Amino acid sequence: MSTDRETSHDMSDSDIALLLADAADEVEIGIAPYQAVLRGGRRRRARRWAVAAATALVLAGSSATLAVAGLPGGDGGQVATQPPGPADADPSRVLQTTLATGTDRGTKWRVLINVWSAPRDEKQAEAQRAAMALRGETPPDAHDASDLVGKITYFVYRGYGGKSTKVMENTVPKTDRLTGTDLMSGSLPLEPGGTKDVRLVIGYVAKTAQRVNCTWTNETATAVEKAGSETGTDVPAIRSAAGSNYNWFVCLAPKGTEYQTAEVIE
């Protein structure tokens, strides 16, 4: 697939899912997103996306709405306040990172990611699944604990006002990496339950990516650059997420326009 070709335009959810499956080499789609784009010069293995659609949301046993104060919900499990090194990562301890915050027409919003490090054996995987369950999280396609061994699991949440919604989830081998201009992104309304104003874009890129351009339907663009040590979460930026092999970005279209494309510029 070339770096300047999108996989979807004005199509149905099922059309998007089929095209993505073909383009991304046996990609498994959860709920088909409003837009889900794979960019990059080489094919990549399966990624599972559960991006909130207007009328249907499969959360694999998780509650669709969670209190923002406890985002992403539940009293079980531990949250790591300082990311441990790879040798110290505890698979039963969730690593949580705030990717973006903002205020839209007086309502506060934010995007968070939970990352669970790769269990080394089945015993650790069982402990991880129990910790996930206490937080209302179920790893996709992990029917047995052994399915999690050697794999990283992440869950992304969109918080808006007093509610949050799980919008992405995936389990990937701990060795999985992106390179060059590889990019995976999903777009959806900022407000849960919305069917229009597809303005929020969440995606991940290679650790080496320095800039992503989010282009909107009014032909303007938002340049998202790699975060510095003092870049606040209220500034669109490419950020690392504790425990993740990718860097992440979030951008929001100005009111009155919507998502068109996202691509790595450098």
Side-chain angles (χ1 to χ4, degrees), residues 11-18 29 31-34 53-54:
M11 292 180 279
S12 69
D13 286 348
S14 59
D15 289 336
I16 293 171
L18 288 172
I29 302 299
I31 293 302
Y34 290 92

Side-chain angles (χ1 to χ4, degrees), residues 98-122:
T98 299
L99 299 176
T101 58
T103 302
D104 182 69
R105 293 173 292 173
T107 300
K108 292 184 177 181
W109 63 270
R110 58 178 172 167
V111 176
L112 301 181
I113 183 171
N114 273 0
V115 179
W116 300 82
S117 60
R120 292 185 291 276
D121 52 40
E122 192 165 342

Side-chain angles (χ1 to χ4, degrees), residues 44-48 115-119 140 146-154 170-178 204 243-246:
R44 303 200 55 79
R45 286 195 62 197
R47 284 171 178 72
R48 178 183 175 92
V115 179
W116 300 82
S117 60
S146 59
D147 295 331
L148 295 176
V149 175
K151 296 179 181 178
I152 295 170
T153 301
Y154 67 76
N170 203 357
T171 298
V172 298
K174 66 178 181 180
T175 55
D176 192 59
R177 300 288 190 279
L178 300 186
Y204 57 85
S244 176
N245 291 338
Y246 323 121

